[in-house]
Amino acid sequence: MADSNGLDTKSRFLQIYGRLKSELLEDPAFDFTDDARQWIDRMLDYNVPGGKLNRGISVVDSYKLLREGIQLSDDEFFLASSLGWCIEWLQAYFLVLDDIMDNSHTRRGQPCWFRVPKVGIIAANDGILLRNHIPQILKRHFREKPYYVDLLDLFNEVEFQTASGQMLDLITTHEGEQDLSKYNLSVYRRIVQYKTAYYSFYLPVACALLMSGENLDYFVDVKNILVEMGTYFQVQDDFLDCFGDPEVIGKIGTDIEDYKCSWLIVQALERANDNQMKTLSENYGKSDPACVAKVKSIYNELNLQAVFSEYEATSYKQLISSIEAQPSKAVQEVLKSFLHKIYKRQK
């Protein structure tokens, strides 16, 4: 959608990245050398703006819907975008460190940052820097706002939840490697909610609510709906990792090879007979393509594609009815806009 300046939201949003980046490169808290400035400039460009930007732009979209048709001033658009970029910075921080922990090779179609020549383990400190840019951005632009402390609390809490979810994911994978039966639906749901749902789904809406002058304590229902939506999103992600078209999703799934506690393995373990169970135990988590093929053939025998379709339909119905129970029409619109972005997605 183009605005009065003839630019669509995404282009305006991207322009604001440039402004935030220059402010960070001139931050009076640090006396930059040219080398340092160059390093951060390159590191930011490599890691922050390269994704789909869904999380960041959702802050702007949600804030617009909460304002119920009132045109945003340039200043309001800038502030909503700045919060959106703080989420993209948070995401970049998690991904840079996650890739080191997982020993990954590619991210967003290019080598992981720590695999770039001359970067290596310096990437760990870059992750810390990315995380520390967030309070610098917030301080510069929100210091005088009545909701400043709430914003700081929100980002700190969501970061804590995400890091704790990541820990759960890492230690569960260790357990699972010894004993697949450690993987079950409640273990899975807990990992997903903390690791993904809070920062990807709740955080953008919470930012928009705070900007609108709302008190987050009154929006516990909304938080729960968004966390549910985040869980549904991750189940789709796990499904696409195995059954999606790599041409469409832009990456080749490796959940089976990586021993991931994915929704598919959890569903398979609930349904498998003794023979199938034995095949899964012997082949899950192996990088040999023959092993991966055996796991996938069990997924097909158990008809997990149909199980997923049914899960998708049921989740959608439940989410719609929870959303329609919300007293505020504007809040319903925000939640529906999230749901419609993800329902039946192919990538």
Short mmCIF file of all heavy atoms in Angstrom, two decimals, residues 161-226:
data_model
loop_
_atom_site.label_atom_id
_atom_site.label_comp_id
_atom_site.label_asym_id
_atom_site.label_seq_id
_atom_site.Cartn_x
_atom_site.Cartn_y
_atom_site.Cartn_z
N GLN A 161 12.74 -14.85 27.85
CA GLN A 161 11.91 -15.99 27.46
C GLN A 161 12.52 -16.73 26.27
O GLN A 161 12.56 -17.96 26.23
CB GLN A 161 10.49 -15.51 27.12
CG GLN A 161 9.74 -15.06 28.37
CD GLN A 161 8.47 -14.30 28.07
OE1 GLN A 161 8.42 -13.46 27.16
NE2 GLN A 161 7.43 -14.56 28.82
N THR A 162 13.01 -15.96 25.30
CA THR A 162 13.55 -16.57 24.08
C THR A 162 14.83 -17.36 24.38
O THR A 162 15.01 -18.49 23.91
CB THR A 162 13.82 -15.49 23.02
OG1 THR A 162 12.63 -14.70 22.87
CG2 THR A 162 14.19 -16.11 21.68
N ALA A 163 15.72 -16.76 25.17
CA ALA A 163 16.98 -17.44 25.52
C ALA A 163 16.69 -18.71 26.33
O ALA A 163 17.34 -19.74 26.17
CB ALA A 163 17.89 -16.50 26.29
N SER A 164 15.66 -18.65 27.19
CA SER A 164 15.30 -19.82 27.99
C SER A 164 14.71 -20.90 27.09
O SER A 164 14.96 -22.10 27.29
CB SER A 164 14.31 -19.45 29.09
OG SER A 164 14.85 -18.42 29.91
N GLY A 165 13.94 -20.49 26.08
CA GLY A 165 13.40 -21.44 25.11
C GLY A 165 14.50 -22.10 24.31
O GLY A 165 14.47 -23.30 24.02
N GLN A 166 15.50 -21.30 23.96
CA GLN A 166 16.66 -21.82 23.22
C GLN A 166 17.40 -22.86 24.07
O GLN A 166 17.78 -23.93 23.58
CB GLN A 166 17.58 -20.66 22.83
CG GLN A 166 18.94 -21.04 22.26
CD GLN A 166 18.90 -21.63 20.85
OE1 GLN A 166 17.84 -21.91 20.31
NE2 GLN A 166 20.06 -21.85 20.26
N MET A 167 17.56 -22.57 25.36
CA MET A 167 18.20 -23.52 26.27
C MET A 167 17.43 -24.84 26.29
O MET A 167 18.01 -25.93 26.18
CB MET A 167 18.27 -22.96 27.69
CG MET A 167 18.69 -24.00 28.72
SD MET A 167 18.29 -23.54 30.40
CE MET A 167 16.51 -23.54 30.38
N LEU A 168 16.11 -24.72 26.42
CA LEU A 168 15.25 -25.91 26.46
C LEU A 168 15.43 -26.72 25.18
O LEU A 168 15.53 -27.95 25.22
CB LEU A 168 13.81 -25.42 26.57
CG LEU A 168 12.81 -26.24 27.32
CD1 LEU A 168 13.31 -26.62 28.69
CD2 LEU A 168 11.50 -25.43 27.45
N ASP A 169 15.48 -26.03 24.05
CA ASP A 169 15.65 -26.69 22.76
C ASP A 169 16.98 -27.45 22.73
O ASP A 169 17.04 -28.62 22.35
CB ASP A 169 15.61 -25.63 21.65
CG ASP A 169 15.53 -26.24 20.25
OD1 ASP A 169 15.19 -27.44 20.14
OD2 ASP A 169 15.81 -25.54 19.28
N LEU A 170 18.05 -26.78 23.17
CA LEU A 170 19.37 -27.40 23.12
C LEU A 170 19.48 -28.59 24.06
O LEU A 170 20.01 -29.64 23.69
CB LEU A 170 20.45 -26.35 23.45
CG LEU A 170 20.59 -25.21 22.42
CD1 LEU A 170 21.45 -24.08 22.99
CD2 LEU A 170 21.16 -25.69 21.10
N ILE A 171 18.95 -28.46 25.29
CA ILE A 171 19.10 -29.59 26.22
C ILE A 171 18.15 -30.74 25.88
O ILE A 171 18.47 -31.90 26.09
CB ILE A 171 19.00 -29.18 27.72
CG1 ILE A 171 17.63 -28.63 28.08
CG2 ILE A 171 20.09 -28.17 28.09
CD1 ILE A 171 17.50 -28.22 29.56
N THR A 172 16.98 -30.40 25.29
CA THR A 172 16.06 -31.46 24.88
C THR A 172 16.65 -32.28 23.75
O THR A 172 16.50 -33.51 23.70
CB THR A 172 14.71 -30.86 24.43
OG1 THR A 172 14.20 -30.03 25.48
CG2 THR A 172 13.69 -31.95 24.14
N THR A 173 17.35 -31.61 22.83
CA THR A 173 17.99 -32.32 21.72
C THR A 173 19.03 -33.30 22.27
O THR A 173 19.12 -34.44 21.82
CB THR A 173 18.65 -31.33 20.74
OG1 THR A 173 17.65 -30.38 20.34
CG2 THR A 173 19.16 -32.03 19.50
N HIS A 174 19.77 -32.89 23.31
CA HIS A 174 20.73 -33.79 23.96
C HIS A 174 20.02 -35.03 24.51
O HIS A 174 20.48 -36.15 24.32
CB HIS A 174 21.42 -33.08 25.13
CG HIS A 174 22.72 -32.47 24.73
ND1 HIS A 174 23.74 -33.20 24.16
CD2 HIS A 174 23.17 -31.19 24.82
CE1 HIS A 174 24.76 -32.39 23.91
NE2 HIS A 174 24.44 -31.18 24.29
N GLU A 175 18.89 -34.77 25.21
CA GLU A 175 18.12 -35.89 25.79
C GLU A 175 17.61 -36.80 24.69
O GLU A 175 17.70 -38.02 24.76
CB GLU A 175 16.92 -35.34 26.57
CG GLU A 175 17.27 -34.49 27.79
CD GLU A 175 17.79 -35.35 28.91
OE1 GLU A 175 17.08 -36.28 29.31
OE2 GLU A 175 18.93 -35.12 29.36
N GLY A 176 17.04 -36.17 23.64
CA GLY A 176 16.44 -36.91 22.54
C GLY A 176 17.44 -37.81 21.84
O GLY A 176 17.10 -38.90 21.37
N GLU A 177 18.69 -37.36 21.78
CA GLU A 177 19.71 -38.15 21.11
C GLU A 177 19.92 -39.47 21.86
O GLU A 177 20.26 -40.48 21.26
CB GLU A 177 21.03 -37.37 21.00
CG GLU A 177 20.95 -36.32 19.90
CD GLU A 177 22.15 -35.37 19.87
OE1 GLU A 177 23.13 -35.61 20.60
OE2 GLU A 177 22.08 -34.39 19.12
N GLN A 178 19.72 -39.45 23.17
CA GLN A 178 19.84 -40.69 23.94
C GLN A 178 18.55 -41.51 23.81
O GLN A 178 18.58 -42.73 23.75
CB GLN A 178 20.06 -40.38 25.43
CG GLN A 178 21.53 -40.29 25.83
CD GLN A 178 22.19 -39.02 25.31
OE1 GLN A 178 21.79 -37.92 25.71
NE2 GLN A 178 23.15 -39.15 24.42
N ASP A 179 17.42 -40.79 23.78
CA ASP A 179 16.14 -41.49 23.89
C ASP A 179 15.03 -40.67 23.23
O ASP A 179 14.56 -39.70 23.80
CB ASP A 179 15.85 -41.70 25.39
CG ASP A 179 14.50 -42.36 25.63
OD1 ASP A 179 13.86 -42.80 24.64
OD2 ASP A 179 14.08 -42.43 26.80
N LEU A 180 14.65 -41.12 22.02
CA LEU A 180 13.64 -40.38 21.24
C LEU A 180 12.33 -40.17 22.00
O LEU A 180 11.63 -39.20 21.77
CB LEU A 180 13.33 -41.14 19.94
CG LEU A 180 13.92 -40.62 18.64
CD1 LEU A 180 13.27 -41.36 17.47
CD2 LEU A 180 13.72 -39.12 18.47
N SER A 181 12.00 -41.10 22.91
CA SER A 181 10.69 -41.00 23.58
C SER A 181 10.61 -39.77 24.50
O SER A 181 9.55 -39.43 25.01
CB SER A 181 10.41 -42.27 24.38
OG SER A 181 11.35 -42.37 25.43
N LYS A 182 11.75 -39.08 24.68
CA LYS A 182 11.73 -37.83 25.44
C LYS A 182 10.95 -36.74 24.69
O LYS A 182 10.55 -35.74 25.27
CB LYS A 182 13.17 -37.32 25.68
CG LYS A 182 13.98 -38.14 26.66
CD LYS A 182 13.72 -37.69 28.10
CE LYS A 182 14.80 -38.06 29.09
NZ LYS A 182 15.10 -39.48 29.24
N TYR A 183 10.77 -36.94 23.36
CA TYR A 183 10.05 -35.95 22.55
C TYR A 183 8.55 -36.21 22.61
O TYR A 183 8.07 -37.24 22.15
CB TYR A 183 10.50 -36.05 21.07
CG TYR A 183 11.90 -35.55 20.79
CD1 TYR A 183 12.48 -35.74 19.54
CD2 TYR A 183 12.64 -34.86 21.75
CE1 TYR A 183 13.76 -35.27 19.24
CE2 TYR A 183 13.91 -34.40 21.47
CZ TYR A 183 14.47 -34.60 20.22
OH TYR A 183 15.73 -34.14 19.93
N ASN A 184 7.80 -35.27 23.19
CA ASN A 184 6.34 -35.38 23.15
C ASN A 184 5.73 -33.99 22.97
O ASN A 184 6.45 -32.99 22.97
CB ASN A 184 5.80 -36.08 24.41
CG ASN A 184 6.13 -35.28 25.66
OD1 ASN A 184 5.84 -34.09 25.76
ND2 ASN A 184 6.77 -35.93 26.63
N LEU A 185 4.41 -33.95 22.83
CA LEU A 185 3.76 -32.70 22.45
C LEU A 185 3.93 -31.59 23.49
O LEU A 185 4.12 -30.43 23.13
CB LEU A 185 2.28 -32.94 22.13
CG LEU A 185 1.63 -31.87 21.25
CD1 LEU A 185 2.39 -31.68 19.94
CD2 LEU A 185 0.17 -32.21 20.96
N SER A 186 3.90 -31.95 24.77
CA SER A 186 4.00 -30.86 25.75
C SER A 186 5.43 -30.30 25.80
O SER A 186 5.62 -29.09 25.96
CB SER A 186 3.50 -31.30 27.13
OG SER A 186 4.37 -32.27 27.65
N VAL A 187 6.42 -31.16 25.63
CA VAL A 187 7.81 -30.71 25.53
C VAL A 187 7.95 -29.78 24.32
O VAL A 187 8.52 -28.69 24.39
CB VAL A 187 8.76 -31.92 25.37
CG1 VAL A 187 10.16 -31.51 24.93
CG2 VAL A 187 8.82 -32.72 26.67
N TYR A 188 7.38 -30.23 23.21
CA TYR A 188 7.45 -29.46 21.96
C TYR A 188 6.81 -28.08 22.11
O TYR A 188 7.40 -27.06 21.77
CB TYR A 188 6.73 -30.24 20.84
CG TYR A 188 6.62 -29.45 19.55
CD1 TYR A 188 7.71 -29.33 18.69
CD2 TYR A 188 5.43 -28.79 19.21
CE1 TYR A 188 7.62 -28.60 17.52
CE2 TYR A 188 5.33 -28.06 18.04
CZ TYR A 188 6.44 -27.96 17.20
OH TYR A 188 6.34 -27.22 16.05
N ARG A 189 5.59 -28.06 22.65
CA ARG A 189 4.86 -26.79 22.77
C ARG A 189 5.62 -25.80 23.65
O ARG A 189 5.69 -24.61 23.36
CB ARG A 189 3.46 -27.02 23.35
CG ARG A 189 2.47 -27.60 22.33
CD ARG A 189 1.11 -27.83 22.98
NE ARG A 189 0.54 -26.57 23.45
CZ ARG A 189 -0.20 -25.77 22.68
NH1 ARG A 189 -0.47 -26.09 21.44
NH2 ARG A 189 -0.68 -24.65 23.18
N ARG A 190 6.19 -26.31 24.74
CA ARG A 190 6.90 -25.41 25.64
C ARG A 190 8.10 -24.77 24.93
O ARG A 190 8.32 -23.57 25.02
CB ARG A 190 7.32 -26.14 26.90
CG ARG A 190 8.08 -25.22 27.85
CD ARG A 190 8.48 -25.90 29.13
NE ARG A 190 7.33 -26.04 30.01
CZ ARG A 190 7.03 -27.15 30.69
NH1 ARG A 190 7.77 -28.23 30.56
NH2 ARG A 190 5.99 -27.19 31.47
N ILE A 191 8.86 -25.58 24.21
CA ILE A 191 10.03 -25.04 23.50
C ILE A 191 9.59 -23.94 22.53
O ILE A 191 10.14 -22.84 22.50
CB ILE A 191 10.77 -26.14 22.70
CG1 ILE A 191 11.43 -27.13 23.66
CG2 ILE A 191 11.81 -25.53 21.75
CD1 ILE A 191 12.02 -28.37 22.98
N VAL A 192 8.57 -24.25 21.74
CA VAL A 192 8.14 -23.35 20.68
C VAL A 192 7.62 -22.04 21.26
O VAL A 192 7.92 -20.96 20.76
CB VAL A 192 7.04 -24.04 19.84
CG1 VAL A 192 6.35 -23.05 18.94
CG2 VAL A 192 7.66 -25.18 19.03
N GLN A 193 6.81 -22.13 22.30
CA GLN A 193 6.24 -20.90 22.86
C GLN A 193 7.34 -19.96 23.32
O GLN A 193 7.33 -18.78 22.99
CB GLN A 193 5.32 -21.25 24.04
CG GLN A 193 4.02 -21.85 23.54
CD GLN A 193 3.09 -22.28 24.66
OE1 GLN A 193 3.39 -22.10 25.85
NE2 GLN A 193 1.95 -22.85 24.31
N TYR A 194 8.30 -20.50 24.06
CA TYR A 194 9.34 -19.62 24.59
C TYR A 194 10.35 -19.22 23.53
O TYR A 194 10.78 -18.07 23.48
CB TYR A 194 10.03 -20.28 25.79
CG TYR A 194 9.13 -20.25 27.00
CD1 TYR A 194 8.45 -21.39 27.41
CD2 TYR A 194 8.92 -19.06 27.69
CE1 TYR A 194 7.59 -21.34 28.50
CE2 TYR A 194 8.07 -19.00 28.77
CZ TYR A 194 7.40 -20.14 29.19
OH TYR A 194 6.54 -20.09 30.25
N LYS A 195 10.72 -20.16 22.67
CA LYS A 195 11.81 -19.88 21.74
C LYS A 195 11.38 -18.97 20.58
O LYS A 195 12.18 -18.18 20.08
CB LYS A 195 12.36 -21.20 21.20
CG LYS A 195 13.63 -21.01 20.39
CD LYS A 195 14.11 -22.30 19.75
CE LYS A 195 15.08 -21.98 18.64
NZ LYS A 195 15.62 -23.15 18.00
N THR A 196 10.13 -19.10 20.16
CA THR A 196 9.70 -18.39 18.95
C THR A 196 8.50 -17.48 19.15
O THR A 196 8.49 -16.34 18.70
CB THR A 196 9.33 -19.43 17.84
OG1 THR A 196 10.43 -20.30 17.67
CG2 THR A 196 9.01 -18.75 16.53
N ALA A 197 7.46 -17.99 19.83
CA ALA A 197 6.18 -17.29 19.81
C ALA A 197 6.22 -15.93 20.49
O ALA A 197 5.64 -14.96 20.00
CB ALA A 197 5.10 -18.18 20.43
N TYR A 198 6.91 -15.82 21.61
CA TYR A 198 6.91 -14.53 22.32
C TYR A 198 7.54 -13.42 21.49
O TYR A 198 6.96 -12.35 21.33
CB TYR A 198 7.63 -14.64 23.67
CG TYR A 198 6.77 -15.26 24.74
CD1 TYR A 198 6.96 -16.58 25.15
CD2 TYR A 198 5.73 -14.54 25.31
CE1 TYR A 198 6.15 -17.16 26.11
CE2 TYR A 198 4.90 -15.11 26.28
CZ TYR A 198 5.12 -16.43 26.68
OH TYR A 198 4.30 -17.00 27.62
N TYR A 199 8.72 -13.68 20.93
CA TYR A 199 9.36 -12.56 20.23
C TYR A 199 8.81 -12.35 18.83
O TYR A 199 8.81 -11.23 18.32
CB TYR A 199 10.89 -12.71 20.24
CG TYR A 199 11.51 -13.42 19.06
CD1 TYR A 199 11.92 -12.70 17.94
CD2 TYR A 199 11.72 -14.79 19.06
CE1 TYR A 199 12.51 -13.34 16.86
CE2 TYR A 199 12.31 -15.43 17.99
CZ TYR A 199 12.70 -14.70 16.89
OH TYR A 199 13.28 -15.33 15.82
N SER A 200 8.29 -13.41 18.20
CA SER A 200 7.83 -13.25 16.82
C SER A 200 6.39 -12.75 16.72
O SER A 200 6.04 -12.07 15.77
CB SER A 200 7.91 -14.58 16.07
OG SER A 200 9.24 -15.05 16.08
N PHE A 201 5.57 -13.12 17.70
CA PHE A 201 4.14 -12.80 17.59
C PHE A 201 3.67 -11.82 18.66
O PHE A 201 3.01 -10.84 18.35
CB PHE A 201 3.31 -14.09 17.62
CG PHE A 201 3.39 -14.81 16.31
CD1 PHE A 201 4.51 -15.60 16.00
CD2 PHE A 201 2.40 -14.67 15.36
CE1 PHE A 201 4.61 -16.23 14.77
CE2 PHE A 201 2.50 -15.31 14.12
CZ PHE A 201 3.61 -16.08 13.82
N TYR A 202 4.03 -12.08 19.92
CA TYR A 202 3.56 -11.18 20.97
C TYR A 202 4.30 -9.84 20.95
O TYR A 202 3.69 -8.78 21.04
CB TYR A 202 3.71 -11.85 22.34
CG TYR A 202 3.40 -10.92 23.49
CD1 TYR A 202 2.14 -10.32 23.62
CD2 TYR A 202 4.37 -10.61 24.45
CE1 TYR A 202 1.85 -9.46 24.67
CE2 TYR A 202 4.08 -9.76 25.51
CZ TYR A 202 2.83 -9.17 25.61
OH TYR A 202 2.56 -8.32 26.64
N LEU A 203 5.61 -9.87 20.79
CA LEU A 203 6.41 -8.65 20.91
C LEU A 203 5.96 -7.52 19.95
O LEU A 203 5.80 -6.38 20.39
CB LEU A 203 7.90 -8.98 20.75
CG LEU A 203 8.91 -7.84 20.89
CD1 LEU A 203 8.77 -7.11 22.23
CD2 LEU A 203 10.35 -8.36 20.73
N PRO A 204 5.74 -7.79 18.65
CA PRO A 204 5.32 -6.70 17.76
C PRO A 204 4.01 -6.05 18.19
O PRO A 204 3.86 -4.82 18.15
CB PRO A 204 5.16 -7.37 16.39
CG PRO A 204 5.98 -8.61 16.47
CD PRO A 204 5.95 -9.06 17.90
N VAL A 205 3.04 -6.87 18.63
CA VAL A 205 1.74 -6.32 19.03
C VAL A 205 1.87 -5.57 20.35
O VAL A 205 1.30 -4.49 20.53
CB VAL A 205 0.69 -7.45 19.14
CG1 VAL A 205 -0.64 -6.91 19.66
CG2 VAL A 205 0.48 -8.10 17.77
N ALA A 206 2.68 -6.11 21.26
CA ALA A 206 2.88 -5.43 22.55
C ALA A 206 3.51 -4.05 22.33
O ALA A 206 3.12 -3.08 23.00
CB ALA A 206 3.76 -6.30 23.46
N CYS A 207 4.46 -3.95 21.41
CA CYS A 207 5.06 -2.65 21.09
C CYS A 207 3.99 -1.66 20.60
O CYS A 207 3.94 -0.51 21.03
CB CYS A 207 6.14 -2.79 20.02
SG CYS A 207 7.68 -3.52 20.62
N ALA A 208 3.14 -2.14 19.70
CA ALA A 208 2.08 -1.27 19.15
C ALA A 208 1.09 -0.86 20.24
O ALA A 208 0.64 0.30 20.30
CB ALA A 208 1.35 -1.98 18.01
N LEU A 209 0.76 -1.79 21.14
CA LEU A 209 -0.16 -1.47 22.24
C LEU A 209 0.45 -0.41 23.17
O LEU A 209 -0.24 0.54 23.58
CB LEU A 209 -0.51 -2.73 23.04
CG LEU A 209 -1.47 -3.72 22.36
CD1 LEU A 209 -1.46 -5.07 23.08
CD2 LEU A 209 -2.90 -3.16 22.30
N LEU A 210 1.73 -0.56 23.50
CA LEU A 210 2.38 0.43 24.38
C LEU A 210 2.38 1.81 23.72
O LEU A 210 2.09 2.82 24.36
CB LEU A 210 3.81 0.00 24.73
CG LEU A 210 3.94 -1.17 25.72
CD1 LEU A 210 5.41 -1.55 25.90
CD2 LEU A 210 3.31 -0.82 27.08
N MET A 211 2.70 1.85 22.42
CA MET A 211 2.68 3.14 21.70
C MET A 211 1.29 3.77 21.71
O MET A 211 1.15 4.98 21.68
CB MET A 211 3.12 2.94 20.24
CG MET A 211 4.59 3.18 20.03
SD MET A 211 4.96 3.30 18.26
CE MET A 211 4.40 4.97 17.88
N SER A 212 0.25 2.91 21.74
CA SER A 212 -1.13 3.42 21.74
C SER A 212 -1.58 3.82 23.15
O SER A 212 -2.75 4.12 23.36
CB SER A 212 -2.10 2.35 21.22
OG SER A 212 -1.64 1.85 20.00
N GLY A 213 -0.66 3.75 24.11
CA GLY A 213 -1.00 4.17 25.47
C GLY A 213 -1.69 3.10 26.30
O GLY A 213 -2.27 3.40 27.34
N GLU A 214 -1.66 1.87 25.85
CA GLU A 214 -2.34 0.80 26.59
C GLU A 214 -1.45 0.19 27.66
O GLU A 214 -0.23 0.25 27.57
CB GLU A 214 -2.78 -0.32 25.62
CG GLU A 214 -3.74 0.13 24.52
CD GLU A 214 -5.15 0.44 25.03
OE1 GLU A 214 -5.40 0.29 26.27
OE2 GLU A 214 -5.99 0.82 24.21
N ASN A 215 -2.10 -0.43 28.65
CA ASN A 215 -1.39 -1.14 29.71
C ASN A 215 -1.41 -2.64 29.38
O ASN A 215 -2.47 -3.23 29.26
CB ASN A 215 -2.10 -0.87 31.04
CG ASN A 215 -1.45 -1.60 32.21
OD1 ASN A 215 -0.74 -2.60 32.03
ND2 ASN A 215 -1.70 -1.12 33.42
N LEU A 216 -0.22 -3.22 29.23
CA LEU A 216 -0.14 -4.63 28.78
C LEU A 216 -0.80 -5.61 29.75
O LEU A 216 -1.20 -6.70 29.36
CB LEU A 216 1.32 -5.03 28.54
CG LEU A 216 2.04 -4.32 27.38
CD1 LEU A 216 3.46 -4.83 27.24
CD2 LEU A 216 1.27 -4.49 26.06
N ASP A 217 -0.92 -5.21 31.02
CA ASP A 217 -1.56 -6.09 32.00
C ASP A 217 -2.99 -6.45 31.61
O ASP A 217 -3.52 -7.48 32.02
CB ASP A 217 -1.57 -5.45 33.40
CG ASP A 217 -0.17 -5.28 33.95
OD1 ASP A 217 0.76 -5.95 33.42
OD2 ASP A 217 0.03 -4.46 34.87
N TYR A 218 -3.63 -5.56 30.83
CA TYR A 218 -5.03 -5.81 30.44
C TYR A 218 -5.13 -6.66 29.17
O TYR A 218 -6.22 -6.85 28.65
CB TYR A 218 -5.78 -4.48 30.22
CG TYR A 218 -5.78 -3.58 31.44
CD1 TYR A 218 -5.69 -2.20 31.31
CD2 TYR A 218 -5.86 -4.12 32.73
CE1 TYR A 218 -5.68 -1.37 32.44
CE2 TYR A 218 -5.86 -3.31 33.86
CZ TYR A 218 -5.76 -1.94 33.71
OH TYR A 218 -5.75 -1.13 34.82
N PHE A 219 -4.00 -7.10 28.67
CA PHE A 219 -4.03 -7.80 27.37
C PHE A 219 -3.46 -9.22 27.46
O PHE A 219 -2.85 -9.71 26.52
CB PHE A 219 -3.29 -6.97 26.32
CG PHE A 219 -4.03 -5.71 25.95
CD1 PHE A 219 -3.80 -4.53 26.66
CD2 PHE A 219 -4.97 -5.71 24.93
CE1 PHE A 219 -4.51 -3.37 26.34
CE2 PHE A 219 -5.68 -4.55 24.61
CZ PHE A 219 -5.44 -3.39 25.31
N VAL A 220 -3.68 -9.86 28.61
CA VAL A 220 -3.17 -11.22 28.80
C VAL A 220 -3.81 -12.19 27.79
O VAL A 220 -3.14 -13.06 27.23
CB VAL A 220 -3.41 -11.69 30.25
CG1 VAL A 220 -2.94 -13.14 30.42
CG2 VAL A 220 -2.66 -10.78 31.21
N ASP A 221 -5.12 -12.00 27.53
CA ASP A 221 -5.81 -12.84 26.53
C ASP A 221 -5.16 -12.71 25.17
O ASP A 221 -4.97 -13.69 24.44
CB ASP A 221 -7.27 -12.37 26.32
CG ASP A 221 -8.15 -12.77 27.48
OD1 ASP A 221 -7.62 -13.44 28.39
OD2 ASP A 221 -9.34 -12.40 27.48
N VAL A 222 -4.85 -11.47 24.82
CA VAL A 222 -4.24 -11.19 23.51
C VAL A 222 -2.88 -11.87 23.43
O VAL A 222 -2.53 -12.49 22.42
CB VAL A 222 -4.12 -9.66 23.30
CG1 VAL A 222 -3.28 -9.32 22.08
CG2 VAL A 222 -5.52 -9.04 23.18
N LYS A 223 -2.12 -11.79 24.53
CA LYS A 223 -0.82 -12.47 24.58
C LYS A 223 -1.00 -13.96 24.33
O LYS A 223 -0.30 -14.56 23.52
CB LYS A 223 -0.15 -12.23 25.93
CG LYS A 223 1.21 -12.93 26.05
CD LYS A 223 1.69 -13.06 27.48
CE LYS A 223 2.44 -11.83 27.93
NZ LYS A 223 3.13 -12.00 29.22
N ASN A 224 -1.98 -14.57 25.02
CA ASN A 224 -2.18 -16.01 24.88
C ASN A 224 -2.57 -16.40 23.46
O ASN A 224 -2.11 -17.42 22.94
CB ASN A 224 -3.23 -16.51 25.88
CG ASN A 224 -2.71 -16.39 27.32
OD1 ASN A 224 -1.50 -16.39 27.54
ND2 ASN A 224 -3.62 -16.24 28.28
N ILE A 225 -3.41 -15.59 22.84
CA ILE A 225 -3.82 -15.87 21.45
C ILE A 225 -2.60 -15.79 20.54
O ILE A 225 -2.38 -16.64 19.67
CB ILE A 225 -4.92 -14.90 20.98
CG1 ILE A 225 -6.22 -15.17 21.74
CG2 ILE A 225 -5.15 -15.02 19.47
CD1 ILE A 225 -7.29 -14.10 21.55
N LEU A 226 -1.77 -14.77 20.73
CA LEU A 226 -0.58 -14.60 19.87
C LEU A 226 0.43 -15.73 20.08
O LEU A 226 1.07 -16.18 19.12
CB LEU A 226 0.06 -13.23 20.12
CG LEU A 226 -0.73 -12.07 19.49
CD1 LEU A 226 -0.39 -10.75 20.16
CD2 LEU A 226 -0.48 -11.98 17.98
#
